[in-house]
Amino acid sequence: MNHFAVTKRGLLGAALGVALVAGGVVGAMAEKASAGQNPHITFVSSPDPARVANSVSFTAGFAPIVKQTLPAVVNISTSKVVKVNQQMPQMFNDPFFRQFFGGDDRQFNAPREQREHSLGSGVIVSPDGYILTNNHVVNGASDIQVDLYDNRHFTAKLVGTDPRTDVAVIKINAGSLPAMPLGNSKNLEVGDFVLAIGEPFGLHSTVTMGIVSATGRTALGIEGPNSYENFIQTDAAINPGNSGGALVDIHGELVGINTAILTDGGGEEAGNRGVGFAVPIDMARNVMTQLVEHGKVTRGYIGAFIEQLNPSLAKQFNASSTNGALISSVEEGGPASKAGLRGGDVIVAMNGQTYTDYSELRNAIAMNAPGSVVRLKIERDGRAMDVPVTLGRLPDTEAANNDNDQSGADEGGATESGSGTLSGVEVENLTSSLAQQLGYSPTASGVIVSNVSPDSAAAEANPPLQRGLLIIEVNHHPVHNVQEFRREVSQAGHNSILLLVRVNRQSGGGTFFTVVQPQSQQ
C-alpha cells in the first residue's frame, strides 16, 4: 500500500523528460550501519582526503583524484532473453499472399525470443568484490559480466536490488580489489566540484568534470510514483552507459551513483544536456547494507498520505508556514491512526529535525526501522503538538490496496458540470465498472473528474485537477455522488474551494489536498 501522496505538479515540464542512462540495445532505507557494525562488507577509508583535495586545482588538474579512483570503476555488460511480438508486413495479412507461405495466424503472430544486451557501469566499494550499480543496469539480467580497469573479466552474482531507489549490488569472486572510499553526500553543497567516472557509450574509463548544481532533487519519477528520490544534480557530463558509475568529490571519495540524465523527450539517444542525477551515497550505502545482510530492504512507515504544503494549503489549515508536510488522510488502524494523527495535521519536525520538503520527511521516515518510535511535531488548527508514533513495516507492495473507503459507489452514472470556482470541471458518478476501468477500489466513493477545461481555475491549481482523479471531499464534506458534489460546490459559490482527491493505483495511489482559487484571485 502506498502511504504517501504522490501526485504533484511535474518538476520538469511537459517538454522535458528524465532518461535512465544505461546503454546498449535496451533503449531503503534502514538504520545506518558503519563498517565496524557490518560484518559482511569491508568498506575502506581514504588515507588522506585533505591531502588529495589540496593537490588539485584548475592549474594542477584533477589527476590525483583520477589516479586514486579510476581503478575502482568497472564496466558491466548484461544480457537477457525476452519475448517479442513479430510485426509482419501488412501485405502478409492479405489472403492472396498468405497462400504462398502456408501456416496460420498463430505461426505468423507467435512471440519470438531474442537476446538483449545492455552496458552500464559499477563501483567497487569493498576489496572482497562487492560492487554498487543501478537496478536498471542489471534488472532481469540472466548473465552479468564485469570488466575491471586492469582488463580482468569476471562473471558477477546478483546480491540484490531495490527498484525504489534504483540501487543494486553485485559481487565478483575476487580479493584485494581497488575499492573506492565512501564519502558523505550530506556534506555536498551546490558549487562543489565533482567528477563522473564510468563507461559512457562503452568508452572504457571515461572521466568528466563539473559541479554540484543542486541537491535533494525529488519528484522525477524515475522508478515510478512510489520511488524514494533525493538526487544529486550535476553538470558533469553523464551519458548512456554512465549508469551505476561513480560521482566523486575532490577528496577522492564516492558521493553518488550516477543514474539518469535530463532529456528533451528524445530518450536516452538525446545524450547529455548538462543535467545529470546521482543517487546520494548515504542512501545507496544504507540500501546496500540491507541487501547484503538480508537480501531485501525493509522500511518504516506511518500509514499516512502526505503532501507538500503550499501557501494556499497552509492558509486553509492555519499552518504557521509552508514548511513540513500536510497529512491528507491516514490509514485506518495504521500507526498514524493509532497515534491519533488525522487528515489536516501538518508535520513540521521529526525527532527534533525540521523538514521544508515533504519528500525529505518521507525519506527520513523510511530510514527508521519498523518498530522504532519517532516523535512528530505537528500543527493542528494552529496548535502545536508532540506526537510519538511507533512505525510499522512498509509492505513490499505499496500499491496493493490503496483505497480504504468502505462506502458503496453510486451506480447512477450521472454527469455534472461545476459552477462558480469549479466552472469548467465536469464530474460523473463512480460506478463499479468505471472504478475497475480507472483502477480504483470497488468500495471507493466519490465523483470522477471526466473533463477539466484548460483555461479553468482548477487547471491552474497546485496540484492541478486532472481527468481520472476521484474527488472525495469538497470543503471537508464527503461527496459520494454528483448530487452531493453539486450541493457543496453551489454553497461555495465563487470562493476558494478545498478538495480532497484520490489517485488511482496506476499513478501510485494515495490522496492529496488541493485548493482551487477563483480566477480573479490567482
Side-chain angles (χ1 to χ4, degrees):
M1 179 180 300
N2 176 17
H3 300 279
F4 304 93
V6 295
T7 299
K8 44 201 165 291
R9 193 180 294 271
L11 174 67
L12 303 175
L16 301 177
V18 177
L20 301 174
V21 292
V25 300
V26 180
M29 290 8 114
E31 294 177 299
K32 290 188 177 181
S34 66
Q37 296 171 318
N38 179 7
H40 301 288
I41 310 173
T42 304
F43 294 121
V44 300
S45 300
S46 178
D48 193 352
R51 180 189 61 80
V52 174
N54 292 332
S55 65
V56 300
S57 67
F58 274 112
T59 302
F62 293 82
I65 300 177
V66 176
K67 289 179 181 178
Q68 175 177 307
T69 57
L70 197 59
V73 180
V74 303
N75 173 275
I76 298 176
S77 57
T78 66
S79 64
K80 60 182 177 181
V81 176
V82 298
K83 289 186 176 181
V84 296
N85 291 323
Q86 299 295 307
Q87 297 296 323
M88 303 299 293
Q90 186 65 31
M91 61 178 287
F92 287 106
N93 291 324
D94 190 322
F96 175 78
F97 289 100
R98 272 288 176 88
Q99 64 181 319
F100 296 105
F101 295 93
D104 55 24
D105 289 341
R106 288 176 297 176
Q107 291 175 302
F108 281 93
N109 298 321
R112 300 290 191 269
E113 289 187 346
Q114 80 177 30
R115 183 169 291 276
E116 289 185 344
H117 300 273
S118 182
L119 294 175
S121 306
V123 187
I124 301 172
V125 294
S126 173
D128 54 354
Y130 284 106
I131 297 172
L132 263 176
T133 185
N134 285 141
N135 170 66
H136 74 265
V137 170
V138 298
N139 183 40
S142 57
D143 180 66
I144 305 173
Q145 298 296 319
V146 174
D147 298 335
L148 302 190
Y149 179 73
D150 60 8
N151 293 321
R152 286 186 290 167
H153 310 283
F154 294 88
T155 297
K157 171 188 175 183
L158 180 64
V159 175
T161 64
D162 181 45
R164 290 175 179 169
T165 55
D166 198 22
V167 171
V169 181
I170 61 176
K171 190 178 188 301
I172 59 176
N173 188 18
S176 302
L177 294 172
M180 190 178 299
L182 307 188
N184 188 339
S185 51
K186 290 182 180 178
N187 293 336
L188 283 179
E189 295 183 359
V190 175
D192 285 349
F193 286 117
V194 286
L195 302 179
I197 308 176
E199 311 279 326
F201 306 109
L203 298 173
H204 190 52
S205 302
T206 296
V207 183
T208 56
M209 187 271 290
I211 64 169
V212 174
S213 52
T215 59
R217 285 295 193 208
T218 62
L220 303 182
I222 289 177
E223 287 295 334
N226 294 325
S227 58
Y228 288 82
E229 300 180 343
N230 187 30
F231 290 111
I232 301 165
Q233 180 180 307
T234 175
D235 68 346
I238 297 175
N239 287 288
N242 268 116
S243 273
L247 190 70
V248 181
D249 66 10
I250 62 170
H251 301 290
E253 296 179 330
L254 182 66
V255 291
I257 301 296
N258 297 321
T259 298
I261 56 177
L262 181 67
T263 73
D264 57 3
E268 294 180 5
E269 294 77 8
N272 176 61
R273 290 291 185 271
V275 181
F277 302 98
V279 177
I281 195 58
D282 293 348
M283 177 182 286
R285 177 175 52 227
N286 295 330
V287 170
M288 177 182 184
T289 298
Q290 289 205 71
L291 290 176
V292 171
E293 291 187 346
H294 309 297
K296 63 179 181 179
V297 178
T298 301
R299 296 177 168 91
Y301 88 108
I302 64 172
F305 298 103
I306 64 174
E307 64 178 296
Q308 185 67 45
L309 272 175
N310 58 47
S312 297
L313 289 172
K315 182 179 179 181
Q316 285 283 337
F317 292 96
N318 200 22
S320 59
S321 71
T322 57
N323 291 336
L326 172 66
I327 297 178
S328 57
S329 63
V330 298
E331 177 194 21
E332 184 178 353
S337 175
K338 291 178 180 178
L341 295 175
R342 63 195 191 198
D345 289 343
V346 177
I347 303 174
V348 296
M350 184 181 75
N351 294 337
Q353 173 70 44
T354 58
Y355 294 91
T356 59
D357 181 86
Y358 95 100
S359 294
E360 293 177 356
L361 175 63
R362 178 176 180 262
N363 290 344
I365 291 171
M367 293 201 39
N368 289 272
S372 60
V373 178
V374 297
R375 300 198 67 86
L376 300 181
K377 180 180 180 181
I378 70 167
E379 292 182 358
R380 177 182 294 169
D381 299 325
R383 295 182 294 111
M385 303 171 59
D386 287 312
V387 180
V389 181
T390 301
L391 297 181
R393 178 183 177 276
L394 184 68
D396 292 331
T397 53
E398 275 191 89
N401 296 290
N402 284 319
D403 300 288
N404 298 304
D405 304 82
Q406 300 302 312
S407 55
D410 189 319
E411 297 290 339
T415 302
E416 175 73 13
S417 296
S419 60
T421 303
L422 288 189
S423 178
V425 176
E426 295 180 8
V427 300
E428 59 183 291
N429 288 326
L430 181 66
T431 64
S432 58
S433 59
L434 192 58
Q436 182 179 11
Q437 176 186 343
L438 296 178
Y440 291 102
S441 165
T443 58
S445 178
V447 292
I448 284 289
V449 178
S450 56
N451 188 54
V452 180
S453 174
D455 60 354
S456 66
E460 298 299 320
N462 184 18
L465 212 56
Q466 298 175 341
R467 257 185 99 185
L469 293 174
L470 180 65
I471 299 174
I472 57 180
E473 285 186 10
V474 176
N475 286 338
H476 299 292
H477 294 108
V479 292
H480 304 94
N481 50 53
V482 294
Q483 190 173 12
E484 294 178 0
F485 173 82
R486 181 193 306 122
R487 183 185 65 235
E488 297 300 332
V489 171
S490 177
Q491 290 179 359
H494 291 275
N495 298 313
S496 298
I497 293 180
L498 176 69
L499 301 175
L500 180 58
V501 181
R502 186 174 294 281
V503 185
N504 65 15
R505 294 190 187 98
Q506 290 88 331
S507 299
T511 59
F512 67 92
F513 283 108
T514 189
V515 178
V516 181
Q517 304 276 11
Q519 288 186 315
S520 60
Q521 298 181 18
Q522 293 181 358

